[in-house]
Amino acid sequence: MSAMLTADWCPLGRDTYFRKFEIYSMTWQNEINMENVSVAVGQYGGPIAIIRDRKKFVKVQGIGKPIISIYSASGKTISSTVWSSGQIIQLGWSSTEDLLCIQDDGSVLIYDMFGSYQHTFSMGQEAKDMKVIEAKIFANINGTGIAVLTSSYRFFLVNSVKEPKVRRLPEVPSLSVPPSSWTIISEDRQIRILVAKDRELFVLKQSEQHALPVVPDFIEPISAIIEMSVSQNNRHIALFADSGCLWIGSADLRERYCEFDTKCPSRPKQLVWCGTEAVIGYWDNVLLVIGRQGDHINYGYDSAVRLVPEMDGVRVLSTYSHEMIQKVPLVVQQIFRINSTEPGSYLLEASKQFQKRSHRADEYIRLVKDHLEVAVKQCIEAAGYEFDAGNQKMLIRAAQFGKGFIADLNPDSYVKMCHLLRVLNAVRDHKIGIPLTCTQLQHLTIQVLLDRLVVRRHYYLAIQIARYLKLPYNEGSSRILAHWACYKVKQTQLDSEQVARDIADKLGYAPGVSYSEIAMKAADCGRMQLAIKLMDYECSASLQVPLLLRLGEDRPALVKAIESGNTDLVYTVLLHLRENMPLGEFQMAVRNYPVAQALYLKYCRDHNRETLRDIYVQEDDYNAQAACFIRESYDPKNTLTMEASLSAAQDSYRRARNEFAAGLCEEQQKLLRYQKTLEDKFRREFVGRSLHDTVYFLLLLHETKLADKLRTEYRVTDRRYWWLRIQSLSELGEWMELDKFSKSKKSPIGIEPFVDVCLKHKNRSEAEKYLPKVKDELKVKYYVKAGMFEEAARIAFEQKDLQALLFVQGRCASADRNLSDKISHLVTQLSTKK
Amino acid sequence: MASHLSGGKVNVALVQELARKELLQLLGKCDGSKAMVWDESLAGPVGLVAKYDLLRENEVLKMFPLRAGHLPPSPVKNIIFITRPQLHLMDLVADNIYGEERSGGCRKEFHLFFVPRKSLLCEKWLKNRGVYGNFALIEEFACDLFPFDSDLMSMELESAFKEYYLENDPTCLYQAAQAIMTLQSLFGVIPRVSGKGPAAKQVWDLMCRMARAKQDTERPGLIPQSQIDHLLLVDRGVDLLSPLATQLTYEGLIDEIFEINNTTAQFPSERFTKSDDVPTNLSDERKQIILNSGEELFAEIRDKNFNAVGPALSRKAKLISSQFEERHGEKTVQEIKQFVARLPHMMATKASLATHTTIAELIKEVTDSNSFLESLQTEQEFMNGIDTDKVHPYIEDCIAQKEPLIKVLRLVCMQSVTNSGLKPKVLEHYKREIIQTYGFQHILSLTGLENVGLIKLQQGARQYTILRKTLRLTVEDGSEITPTDISYVHSVYAPLSVRLAQYLVRPNGWKGLQDVLGLLPGPTIEESQSLPAGHGPRRGSISSQ
């Protein structure tokens, strides 16, 4: 078996082997003739776009317009479209597997794999005016970039087709004919274009003003560099000169690995890197593999082929088959090389013997006893590099066999490889047609592979893989389901009701599914009904509401916003409605929702007083209308007079049958009018004072009569009027008057306030006049207030009030030791009496 | 760092930690030196989460309050606005940006952090004002809860009651529900939920809705064990009386007299002896004191009735002085060493004793005043249902002497609640008196109070009388020094909401209380939340419905 395995190996130099094997035999062999088409192939086993080669004459059937056909890597038709736009300069694929069609007017049209148009961007006005003559598509850190060469020999490039921002590169000095060749080197963030003007080389950088000349050190003299190629990792470069000489070296041209004479001076049809170890040149009928050390292998072909460089090899597409040329991975070489003494090789042999039930299995195991772990590791690793399921099984079986002899081996790498192989075999299947290698998958990640399956609409397989690998829901299944749903809603021929139900059945309330995203897609396709139905399944109101608004579903949006309790959303809906509806209709709509109404009122209170009152009028809320008028009357910006506003308020209150408040309004108007006459009379400020303050002010002005009049007119209570009199008299220091007043009538508030005001103005002698008349139960307290502790104590003693006596003592203790002692005496006296 | 937060049953410091991490992460997004412009209502609360030192370590060089007009000049690269999502604040932000743009100078990056959530409305407003494009970053600082103490967090939404009851704006309920969800993500799902009142019900409904939406995104492994076993939601509308009553605990009185904001109170500084180790700013007329349980002495006396604070302080004083006396008794080097080791703690206690003695003196001046005592007496009469049905002469006197309006309104409201509404004549009398004395504009204040139910007309049943009896809301003979009942906090009155909570922890819970609950407004909630498998408390799990 191992003999067969190594049959397709060719040595390149001493220790390196290259192998060539078939991946698929092409389904397209009856449709496509590689001789007269131009081909664009996506990397990582991507799709293939084919268009008739303009430069070749063929018999045309049907319409004259070119057709772009898209096939899977196994040659299965995916789609085909009639091209009706301008002249295509270059076809290519982006890293997200969109088809990029670069036209001679510098516009880049983007299509998906199924031939449906996505969008267009332009390479700039100058490219449009001068026409594009050549274009190259390249991968970089931002995704996929495009560089074009115009007929004025200027270069323009965009770093990423996702965010196309056209940059102009410096001019190559005195370039009057097209450059003999050019290529792009994208290292990290820096993108350089390497241009050959015959034997001179220039590097163009975005950041530099001028082109920088560089000189590769060719040993043999050359006259022009007519082809160049950069390796996939952008570290190495190959330059092909018109002498047939191939220079291989580092991408910065500082180091030369070798110089090789191909003895073939014509320009190769393709020159590509095969991994990082070798360069493959393709001339008619021959593939020449040239190693970095200058060794070479020849492969003959009798029909046209297309080379597709990958990170770990080159795929060779022809009319009939799809092959892979790659350097034999080291570990595969170690196991299968003839006379290998590597542990993996022995383990494989042991495993084979074991399956034959031969005792020699034991002998082989003994040979590797000490290196079993390495042996198992090698077998596992080698299995990953094999495309043939039989070889994979053979190696995995060997690993499993070896594992049994190691006590505590960590099985993770074994299990992981089995998983990986199962996934790889599934996607490599002819029907799916993604010929990924293990190395490529690891570089691409499972996530991207799932995305690629989704792009191909292999939803079921993608979900199976996600489940098989136990990916978390929101990274795996639910994301795929969401994509499926988006695809589903785009099929406009299906019934909305049915689609909504189908989607809900499949997705349910699966975690991480955003129904709003799906609904948005549906809306984009013009399927409003479907979008609205889908929105019902969305849990998050903050996603639901804006979309419902976009769909013109105003009422449901309002209801959902209110239900969510998030008032910010309610406001959003309200303002949206307010801007898009006639005012009357808006107000009628809002009034059915109390929360919305309240929030709108609150908003109006701060920003639109007029509207606020309109609503109250509409709602017949007279009390609230009155409140508006009153608030307005205090607003300095008010256009009406204060009286007018108040009278409006009075009317409103009356309508609300709030006679009491209406009466208050009326009184206030009367008071205002009166205050104005007072102002005229006294030239003092009255307006704005309360009734109480007005009366007090009049009393201070000695206008007792006017105060009296106001008092009766506004029915000021006796209690308050007495307080006013007492306070004003004491304020004026009219102690005689105060005394007179105290005797004029029986005070409704007692005599105590008289004491209080005297004390307030620190007039103790006046206070003493009133003290004897203080009510008995308050006497002690008031004497203390006046600071007359001795009398207070005496009264307390007379009243036989022990508590009061102690209270007095407590208050005076610090002030007067003597008195305190006296009181103590009285206390004991009082206690003993009892 | 935050020892006063981590001592309790649940580690409140986690809340602080979470918020701090989030703030620093946000700051990390703005490269270079920064100036922060604060919505003034947030400066205090956010200070509880991240002190200025921490901000300075993260290149915050300047702090400004958010005001109209120009920002003071500052040589920074980034200007960060940090505000609540309110439109009038957006106007200030826009003004500031216009000012900054016009003044020229070096280009600055503007950022806007909303607390606690972004708002589409505000963003739209900024777009209309034409400054939306000026922001490099618009982010949210999702900080709903500000940690005050090991057993206390606040959302610091000052006007929540007004917004909900007067303006019918339920924003605060949404925020409350969000805050509880945050708590649950830190301390596990709370298995039992009880509540009373319409707002409580709405919060619970929102919580259910959010929990449903969250199930989708959250992986079960991430939910912590339940550390809180019961959630009680009480709508303020259920218990309007308690906040009206004068607080009589030590901390309560500090709040009544000096106001505590974000655990900090300000006192007249001249009354505090200036010790050498605390540098006092001469221009500072107010002395700021942070009040939390990190201070041993304060933790001991904060919840005592003020009448018990004096004895407690003097006891402490004696203890300290005897400890200081001990040094004369020390003989061996060992003993002296021990004494010295205790010294810093003793010094700290001594300093804190001095501070609180001063505060207590300040409070005593007020509580001894006639106006305080008379007003308290009136309150207690109302609580006990005495003379609640007629015009109260003390209220009249207060009005006649033009005492602060807030004091008058507080008493009127209290009378209205304890009388289960006032007779029309009484109410009209008060209204007329207030309007005639304090000015006509207060017709609006009174309408507002009526709309939220703090003042109302008497109608039918007298709920307060029944509640007072069945829930024992007034307790006459409770001790203030060694209290056995919560009524000591108001010297007579036991807050209704506390009584509800007390019943809840009894074996029968609220089961025997249905009649009483029926008297209170709004629905009653008695629910349980199902826990993810294996996350329940050990003891028998509660069935979910």
Side-chain angles (χ1 to χ4, degrees), chain B residues 253-310:
Chain B
L253 279 165
I254 296 177
D255 186 40
E256 293 277 348
I257 300 166
F258 301 102
E259 290 184 24
I260 305 180
N261 284 310
N262 314 305
T263 70
T264 307
Q266 298 192 327
F267 301 92
S269 61
E270 72 272 7
R271 294 291 295 267
F272 291 83
T273 45
K274 288 184 184 112
S275 47
D276 296 333
D277 49 1
V278 185
T280 41
N281 197 342
L282 280 177
S283 63
D284 235 3
E285 283 172 37
R286 313 290 292 170
K287 183 181 170 70
Q288 287 209 3
I289 294 179
I290 294 171
L291 299 166
N292 63 41
S293 327
E295 191 182 345
E296 200 183 301
L297 179 62
F298 182 65
E300 197 182 318
I301 59 173
R302 64 191 299 177
D303 292 329
K304 281 196 186 336
N305 185 294
F306 187 62
N307 286 337
V309 168

Side-chain angles (χ1 to χ4, degrees), chain B residues 371 398-399 401-410 438:
Chain B
S371 93
C398 284
I399 297 175
Q401 293 174 80
K402 237 182 157 185
E403 294 263 342
L405 179 61
I406 199 81
K407 177 179 171 185
V408 171
L409 290 176
R410 205 166 157 171
Y438 295 94

Side-chain angles (χ1 to χ4, degrees), chain A residues 635-807:
Chain A
D635 187 349
K637 280 181 279 186
N638 186 19
T639 46
L640 297 172
T641 60
M642 206 162 184
E643 283 90 340
S645 292
L646 287 177
S647 120
Q650 187 187 339
D651 277 357
S652 299
Y653 275 132
R654 196 144 281 151
R655 262 186 228 150
R657 290 168 206 275
N658 190 344
E659 294 299 334
F660 176 70
L664 288 173
C665 287
E666 194 178 353
E667 271 180 19
Q668 177 64 13
Q669 290 170 66
K670 218 162 69 185
L671 179 64
L672 270 176
R673 281 194 294 273
Y674 187 63
Q675 284 174 333
K676 285 203 177 127
T677 61
L678 287 177
E679 283 197 354
D680 290 343
K681 190 167 169 191
F682 293 101
R683 306 265 154 227
R684 303 289 284 269
E685 230 175 272
F686 276 95
V687 174
R689 289 175 194 265
S690 69
L691 175 72
H692 186 90
D693 293 347
T694 311
V695 174
Y696 187 62
F697 199 37
L698 285 173
L699 288 173
L700 287 185
L701 293 170
H702 300 283
E703 296 290 340
T704 318
K705 277 216 178 102
L706 287 177
D708 259 346
K709 195 181 143 228
L710 268 182
R711 170 212 173 184
T712 41
E713 200 173 338
Y714 290 90
R715 287 173 289 146
V716 174
T717 54
D718 276 352
R719 235 183 142 74
R720 192 141 55 82
Y721 191 61
W722 273 72
W723 270 109
L724 279 167
R725 288 298 302 272
I726 295 169
Q727 280 175 329
S728 59
L729 287 172
S730 68
E731 184 68 39
L732 292 166
E734 304 258 10
W735 304 112
M736 294 289 287
E737 283 295 314
L738 187 66
D739 190 36
K740 241 194 261 170
F741 182 63
S742 78
K743 288 166 187 156
S744 65
K745 251 194 214 167
K746 189 181 181 306
S747 161
I749 48 173
I751 208 76
E752 296 80 14
F754 288 85
V755 183
D756 282 328
V757 291
C758 292
L759 291 176
K760 190 176 156 204
H761 291 90
K762 307 222 164 32
N763 194 339
R764 195 168 136 181
S765 58
E766 274 302 315
E768 278 179 47
K769 280 192 199 161
Y770 303 102
L771 275 174
K773 292 186 219 158
V774 168
K775 263 185 252 158
D776 282 348
E777 64 265 34
L778 293 173
K779 249 184 193 144
V780 176
K781 193 169 129 194
Y782 269 84
Y783 273 96
V784 169
K785 255 192 190 179
M788 298 159 77
F789 298 111
E790 198 157 356
E791 288 82 349
R794 187 174 49 76
I795 294 162
F797 184 72
E798 278 166 11
Q799 290 178 350
K800 295 182 183 151
D801 187 341
L802 190 60
Q803 283 300 321
L805 209 48
L806 288 171
F807 169 73

Side-chain angles (χ1 to χ4, degrees), chain B residues 1-7 10-20 42 44-51 141-156 179 182-183 186-187 261-264 290-293 302:
Chain B
M1 192 167 177
S3 60
H4 67 285
L5 294 179
S6 43
V10 292
N11 187 359
V12 176
L14 286 180
V15 175
Q16 190 187 40
E17 196 71 18
L18 182 78
R20 186 180 296 158
L42 280 176
V46 177
L48 295 173
V49 172
K51 295 257 177 308
F141 174 36
C143 188
D144 281 306
L145 290 168
F146 297 97
F148 276 13
D149 226 310
S150 64
D151 52 2
L152 182 66
M153 284 170 268
S154 165
M155 295 181 62
E156 290 300 278
T182 310
L183 270 190
L186 283 173
F187 303 114
N261 284 310
N262 314 305
T263 70
T264 307
I290 294 171
L291 299 166
N292 63 41
S293 327
R302 64 191 299 177

